[in-house]
Amino acid sequence: MSRPRVRFAPSPTGYLHVGGARTALFNWLYARHEGGIFVLRIEDTDLERSSDEMVAGILDGMKWLGLDWDEGPEVGGAHGPYFQSERLDRYRDAAERLVASGHAYYCYCNPDEIKAKREAAEREGKTWSYDRTCANLAPEDVAARERAGQPRAIRFRMPEGRTSYDDVVHGTIEFDNAVIEDFVVLRSDRQPTYHLSVVVDDIDMAITDVVRGDDHISNTPKQVLLYQAFGARVPRFAHVPLILGPDKRRLSKRHGATSVMEYERQGFLPEAMFNFLALLGWSPGDDRELFTREELVAAFTLDGIASSNAVFNPEKLEWFNQQHLARLSGDEITSRIEPVLREMGAWDDELRGARREWFHQVIELLKPRAKKIRDLAEQGRYFFIDPDGYEEAAVKKHLSAPGLSPQLAAWGEALAAVEPFTPAAIEAALRASAESQGIKAAALIHATRIAVTGQGVSPSVFDVVALVGRERTVARLAKLREALSGGATL
RNA sequence: GUCCCCAUCGUCCAGAGGCCCAGGACGUGGCCCUUUCAAGGCCAAAACACGGGUUCGAAUCCCGUUGGGGACGCCA
């Protein structure tokens, strides 16, 4: 098969939403798998709703996910321009060509009257479609209206018969043309409608495969007819299922986060989002779930696309994030966590230098407990900064035993002499200290954890102590004893 | 209202006539590991919407019902 050309054509709403991202992802994956071309086109026909910032919002989302485009904004290409707002002349010419060839006609009807009729019908629970008043106007009528300077739209003349096309995911889909009215292709203000602009653009951009949302299925016959009217080759269509919210309704703002950048803000990894989205409505045909970007490119084919809608499951996204996080190397995590640590005032350039090995060990310890990069920083704060207080519930639960302070003093002394300062040696020393004092090791374990981390929860206290280091641990134990005797800081 | 699409565990998927009294994953419950919390391992509960066909045989094919979604604009 020769190189396919596919496209993603969002309208600039200011952000890339999850559904759009998934559609873009499928297109990208397909292009990359087949060695084809991925085109990005901005459908900014609606000038009032478009701006540079809005376009930037979309591009940011694409870039974050790593969906690079071969032709489009910022990179150009031989089939541009890639903004519909710069292509208006093309649409006007195309519409006039349709009139000339008899596939369309001028319509002088008043939009307000049409709207009124439509609404009246709707109130009775019926449908009203355009009555073709202008479909067969006599030449002199047309001339008269033109002379009067009446505004005119251009309508497509629906032929008799049926229109069908082969959908890659749904098979053959057929419509009776009678259910489709003579739709407007060019408005009276000379602006094209969606159907005209997509078709003209897809022809101009030599798009071979249209991969888009299910919601376009019923639009497709209109577009197929337009291709035919233009004498162009009809592309292959693949309509992918929609992404639904938990209430099974189309995903929208009221379902919470729908912008992919919102997930970035929440600390999700782009590779996790990528993996998760790829599996919403597509499957490799077996039970594999964890994929890298490269593995997905290798595995992706259009026939793995499902035909039924999918519900967005945030819990599974979290799981993917955790899995991808666990697979990140120490250096990869370092570069992503740096901004978070800076924000906390816990960053030190040495973490990349002299303390790099140490830092990687800290990360390994924290990793299995973290779902997000931010968790790593927040849950491991005590590795970088002395705790400034003790978690109340933990104190209540583990520090109320009488005589704890002298016991901690003895343990502190023993710890100061542990050699080598490894988790195993530290554990042995702690157990020995507990035994010689006739108390449970657990008492010292919990107290040490609180002293060193300020928290009731942490990785194995022996690992933590080994990494926090002898000096800081001894100091923190002493500080806890102070607090115990003072009582106030607890 | 008309037209179109869809229908396997709560959710995401596997299953393209016998391999299925249906498999994996998330989530849920339990156990192991661990004197914390996770991670990990093991186990469990959990689905072929319903009714008719076709066939020796149907989750898989056909028809209908029901349910869900989408489209019907001088919006995209």
Side-chain angles (χ1 to χ4, degrees), chain A residues 424-439:
Chain A
I426 292 164
E427 175 165 8
L430 181 140
R431 293 191 188 282
S433 174
E435 193 171 347
S436 70
Q437 300 191 66
I439 56 174

Side-chain angles (χ1 to χ4, degrees), chain A residues 382 387 390 394 398-399 404 407-412 415 421 426-427 429-431 433-434 439-466 468-469 472-478 480-481 484:
Chain A
Y382 53 84
Y390 302 105
H398 298 294
L399 299 186
L404 186 59
Q407 290 159 3
L408 282 179
W411 157 233
L415 186 71
F421 205 69
I426 292 164
E427 175 165 8
L430 181 140
R431 293 191 188 282
S433 174
I439 56 174
K440 285 189 171 177
L444 292 183
I445 289 173
H446 289 124
T448 305
R449 170 174 292 114
I450 295 169
V452 176
T453 70
Q455 307 165 3
V457 166
S458 81
S460 161
V461 73
F462 309 114
D463 291 330
V464 169
V465 167
V468 166
R472 285 199 291 172
T473 303
V474 169
R476 288 183 192 181
L477 281 171
L480 177 64
R481 288 207 299 123
L484 278 174

Side-chain angles (χ1 to χ4, degrees), chain A residues 188-254:
Chain A
S188 44
D189 64 1
R190 311 275 292 152
Q191 290 291 316
T193 60
Y194 169 73
H195 299 296
L196 210 223
S197 54
V198 246
V199 170
V200 169
D201 288 346
D202 285 342
I203 292 172
D204 283 353
M205 296 179 188
I207 299 303
T208 58
D209 299 80
V210 173
V211 181
R212 62 190 352 177
D214 240 352
D215 50 340
H216 286 287
I217 288 181
S218 14
N219 292 152
T220 307
K222 291 179 189 170
Q223 294 165 20
V224 168
L225 257 10
L226 279 172
Y227 278 101
Q228 291 169 349
F230 285 124
R233 206 181 105 259
V234 180
R236 216 153 62 115
F237 290 98
H239 286 104
V240 316
L242 265 18
I243 298 178
L244 275 22
D247 58 355
K248 307 237 181 172
R249 302 197 58 98
R250 215 175 151 165
L251 203 60
S252 70
K253 288 106 257 164
R254 45 186 190 80

Side-chain angles (χ1 to χ4, degrees), chain A residues 366-401:
Chain A
L366 261 13
K367 239 159 85 168
R369 278 149 260 259
K371 282 188 158 61
K372 318 261 184 74
I373 290 282
R374 178 166 290 276
D375 297 339
L376 248 20
E378 285 169 357
Q379 292 167 11
R381 185 188 166 85
Y382 53 84
F383 280 110
F384 315 103
I385 301 171
D386 285 338
D388 50 6
Y390 302 105
E391 191 188 314
E392 204 182 311
V395 167
K396 228 177 238 173
K397 188 163 181 198
H398 298 294
L399 299 186
S400 43

Side-chain angles (χ1 to χ4, degrees), chain A residues 286-298:
Chain A
D286 53 38
D287 289 334
R288 284 177 297 162
E289 296 212 277
L290 247 19
F291 288 89
T292 63
R293 212 179 287 274
E294 296 69 34
E295 289 168 340
L296 281 166
V297 168

Side-chain angles (χ1 to χ4, degrees), chain A residues 312-332:
Chain A
F312 186 89
N313 179 191
E315 277 156 350
K316 190 138 187 187
L317 206 210
E318 289 219 327
W319 177 79
F320 272 112
N321 204 64
Q322 192 170 25
Q323 295 297 320
H324 281 274
L325 183 60
R327 282 163 180 72
L328 250 29
S329 72
D331 286 326
E332 286 169 319

Side-chain angles (χ1 to χ4, degrees), chain A residues 158-164 174-181 221 225:
Chain A
M158 284 299 297
E160 303 268 298
R162 307 179 71 81
T163 302
S164 75
E174 194 182 56
F175 288 81
D176 186 338
N177 293 357
V179 304
I180 306 169
E181 67 174 351
L225 257 10

